[in-house]
Every structure is written in C-alpha cells, then in structure tokens.
Amino acid sequence: MSEPAIRARGLEKRFGPAFALRDLDLDVAAGSSLAVLGPNGSGKTTLLRLIAGLMRPSGGSLQVSGHGAGDRRTRARVGLVGHATGLYAGLTARENLIFAARLHRVNDAHTRVRQLLSESGLESVADRPVQAFSHGMARRLSIARALVHDPDVLLLDEPFTGLDRRASDNLTTRLTALRESGHTLVLVTHDPGRAADVGTCALVLGHGHVARHFERLPADRLELERAGVVAGDLT
C-alpha cells in the first residue's frame, strides 16, 4: 500500500487553554479528495492551516508527502486556496500568475502560466485587471495561482462561497478533473451537496473532535447532512 498523502496521529492544536483540534487521526490517500465539514468553530480551517504549514501543531504528528508539515519540502508540494482570493486587484490575471511563478522559482514561468490560463478557461481575459473579474473568475484564477508550482496537495477553504449555480458547477468540474489527474484535494465546505460532488471521502468535525469519518462517501447525501447536525451538537 502506498504512503498516504496526508497522515495525522493524535493531532492537536491549542490556542491558550482552548483546543481547536484534539486527538485527530487521519489518513488521506494520494489522489483522493477529502471533504471536511462541520459548523463554524469546529476546527476546519485550523486543520487546513496545519496541513499547509502555516501553523504548528500543539501535539501529535502530521506528515504531508512523507515529510513533517511546515518542512520546506512539504510547503513546496502544497497549494492553498484561502477563503479570500488574495489576488492583486490592480494586476492582470497573467501578471498575478507570473508573480506567483517567480516566487516559487518555476522554470519557464511564461509557458506554465499559459497552460494554467488555458486549463482555467481564462485565456480571453488574461490581460484584464483582476478588479474587473466576477467572483467566479477570480476563484478560478486563485486556484490557478495555487497550482502554479504543480503541488501534489491542493487545499481549498470554502471555495464555493459567493458563487452562483453555474460558477459552482464549473468549479466542481475543475476540481474533479484535478483529482482525476492525480492531485490530492482537501476541501473545507459547509455544503454536503458539493462535498458529495467533489469528495471521495469525508471528515465531519465538531468542536475540534471527529464526529464522523467516511472513508467512502455514503450513497445517500442526507447521511452527510445528518452527521453535520450531530457535529453541531458536540461539546
């Protein structure tokens, strides 16, 4: 059996005396898509930031691609799409991607950027300032930027927020294609429907605890919704 893309054992994160995550065990297989659900304050974004190496665990262990989270080799294999796009509004789509590619020291940055613009369906607006983009276009560009260094693992924090139905469906198609091309996805979302569309497995958190862990998504989406209700009742 191949080594999991992400492995956590007894993972904990404290802020002062309060636990944001506690005693979390998790294996995420390479090439799979983990949907992380739960109410506000359940630890979803904290888990994402730990995997990205933006925080250090307070206890337990966390490995990404066989290395400790936060290790420079690990950060080079992870792409993060935050709740906010973080794009430079005054720059064009192309300039945002070129800037990110140079930060990551991508070889032949211009070729890589052309490829990402094509895959994202943004070629026709590549030289338009991002401030003129719709929310859906900006979301697609933020994902392209996270992929500029070809990471193994892509982390997404509520990527469907603010998107209309058409943009959400387009994003679902894009994320499914990324998973099928071999990327490992971790998707934080409040939406059980989108979790079922994109995910191959799911983790439901409640107040930093694991309420349910679905190694395979249930055929009945209502089971995910019920698990979310249970998570909201955890103390």
Side-chain angles (χ1 to χ4, degrees):
M1 182 176 293
S2 61
E3 184 175 299
I6 301 168
R7 167 169 285 173
R9 291 292 181 270
L11 183 64
E12 295 184 347
K13 181 60 182 178
R14 294 188 301 272
F15 295 99
F19 280 92
L21 287 173
R22 189 167 191 171
D23 197 27
L24 187 146
D25 292 340
L26 178 66
D27 284 336
V28 182
S32 66
S33 180
L34 174 71
V36 183
L37 300 103
N40 290 334
S42 60
K44 303 187 302 298
T45 295
T46 296
L47 176 59
L48 217 63
R49 290 175 66 82
L50 286 168
I51 296 170
L54 301 177
M55 293 179 177
R56 291 189 177 185
S58 303
S61 64
L62 176 61
Q63 290 191 321
V64 181
S65 298
H67 302 290
D71 183 283
R72 183 164 59 180
R73 292 168 294 182
T74 300
R75 290 196 297 270
R77 306 315 307 157
V78 172
L80 174 64
V81 180
H83 183 66
T85 65
L87 298 167
Y88 293 99
L91 298 182
T92 67
R94 191 187 311 275
E95 288 167 342
N96 268 277
L97 294 183
I98 289 290
F99 180 71
R102 288 174 176 167
L103 284 178
H104 285 285
R105 300 179 181 179
V106 173
N107 292 326
D108 198 357
H110 288 276
T111 297
R112 177 61 175 158
V113 166
R114 284 195 297 271
Q115 176 189 5
L116 288 168
L117 288 168
S118 175
E119 291 174 353
S120 304
L122 295 172
E123 285 178 301
S124 64
V125 294
D127 297 307
R128 184 184 301 177
V130 170
Q131 60 195 8
F133 277 22
S134 69
H135 190 71
M137 291 163 60
R139 181 60 64 190
R140 277 186 280 159
L141 181 59
S142 68
I143 292 172
R145 186 187 59 180
L147 291 169
V148 75
H149 57 302
D150 194 25
D152 297 323
V153 178
L154 180 63
L155 311 175
L156 303 111
D157 193 359
E158 298 287 0
F160 294 99
T161 299
L163 299 184
D164 61 23
R165 179 61 181 270
R166 181 178 178 181
S168 293
D169 289 346
N170 288 339
L171 179 56
T172 296
T173 300
R174 175 70 172 135
L175 295 180
T176 301
L178 286 169
R179 186 194 72 220
E180 291 175 348
S181 69
H183 291 84
T184 303
L185 309 183
V186 181
L187 166 72
V188 164
T189 181
H190 281 93
D191 187 342
R194 292 297 173 185
D197 289 337
V198 176
T200 58
C201 51
L203 185 71
V204 183
L205 296 176
H207 295 276
H209 299 272
V210 176
R212 290 288 301 275
H213 183 198
F214 298 92
E215 293 187 3
R216 293 189 178 184
L217 288 185
D220 184 356
R221 296 185 183 190
L222 287 176
E223 191 172 346
L224 278 177
E225 295 180 7
R226 296 188 193 105
V229 171
V230 171
D233 292 337
L234 285 179
T235 58

